[in-house]
Amino acid sequence: MWHVILYINPYSTALILLAMLLLCFLAFRSERVNTGGARASFAALLFLTLVATLTPQQPIGSSDYHVWMIPGQGILFDYSAMEGLERSMYLRQQIANLLMFVPLAVAFRFAFPKYGSWGPVVMGLLLSLSIEATQWVMAAGRVVDIDDVIVNSAGTALGALLCLLGERLAQVGRGRRRSRKRAASHRRSFPSA
């Protein structure tokens, strides 16, 4: 699963974010969202996220507990000793952590619309805290890191922001369509001489 990190670059990142924005725009533009489909998508994305974050790297219970609770501790502790490629991989890993939670937030927004724009952010924070707590309990070679919680939560906030932006763009588009329809109706009602 970690091979995904090799494909993280500015182009793939921009493509993912634009795809999420377009999805939000089209969903809000249609004004009818299939919540059943959105819930199935959310469940599938949640499953993939849990597999990616909770798959043991060592036998369960065999590892020492590695807990980094100071923001930036993981990068500050090792960054000076890292070479250029290691720094690049660490940055890609953080971007991958962020991007993993963007579609999850978008799917949550449409699966559970009653929670509004803040629902995905709260879900992302609680999910990320749960993942880190489970990694700590499993003691299976994964590091429990507050930076993961921060980056994952930022990913859900970004997903929620993209949904909000898509919704605003759809509203602007609907407003323009209504204005054109009124103008066309007005011209038919009062033909020019």
Side-chain angles (χ1 to χ4, degrees):
M1 193 77 169
W2 65 268
H3 295 287
V4 171
I5 294 171
L6 299 175
Y7 298 102
I8 300 294
N9 60 50
Y11 303 111
S12 62
T13 301
L15 182 64
I16 290 168
L17 296 177
L18 284 173
M20 292 297 104
L21 177 61
L22 181 62
L23 177 70
C24 292
F25 170 74
L26 292 174
F28 282 114
R29 185 174 178 215
S30 73
E31 298 181 15
R32 291 184 348 182
V33 175
N34 177 354
T35 54
R39 287 181 181 168
S41 297
F42 175 73
L45 289 167
L46 179 61
F47 175 76
L48 290 173
T49 301
L50 293 175
V51 167
T53 57
L54 296 177
T55 301
Q57 294 179 339
Q58 297 175 3
I60 294 176
S62 68
S63 176
D64 292 336
Y65 294 102
H66 299 285
V67 179
W68 294 345
M69 294 307 296
I70 300 170
Q73 183 177 0
I75 193 164
L76 295 175
F77 180 72
D78 288 334
Y79 200 72
S80 61
M82 288 183 186
E83 299 293 326
L85 183 60
E86 291 173 315
R87 289 179 184 176
S88 171
M89 291 302 282
Y90 183 83
L91 180 61
R92 287 177 182 203
Q93 179 183 359
Q94 295 305 330
I95 293 170
N97 279 339
L98 182 127
L99 291 177
M100 178 171 45
F101 275 69
V102 171
L104 201 59
V106 170
F108 184 90
R109 175 70 172 88
F110 293 112
F112 305 101
K114 69 179 181 177
Y115 294 113
S117 296
W118 283 100
V121 178
V122 173
M123 175 277 306
L125 176 63
L126 294 175
L127 177 61
S128 188
L129 287 169
S130 300
I131 288 169
E132 296 302 312
T134 303
Q135 288 176 348
W136 181 77
V137 168
M138 287 173 52
R142 290 189 173 265
V143 174
V144 177
D145 191 353
I146 192 69
D147 289 340
D148 289 346
V149 174
I150 294 168
V151 171
N152 295 344
S153 298
T156 54
L158 182 58
L161 183 65
L162 290 171
C163 279
L164 196 59
L165 181 58
E167 183 176 20
R168 297 295 184 251
L169 291 172
Q171 288 172 349
V172 168
R174 281 195 301 269
R176 287 184 180 165
R177 274 197 314 253
R178 287 184 191 127
S179 295
R180 283 193 298 262
K181 284 181 182 177
R182 273 184 278 178
S185 157
H186 183 68
R187 281 192 297 266
R188 276 186 253 132
S189 300
F190 301 104
S192 58

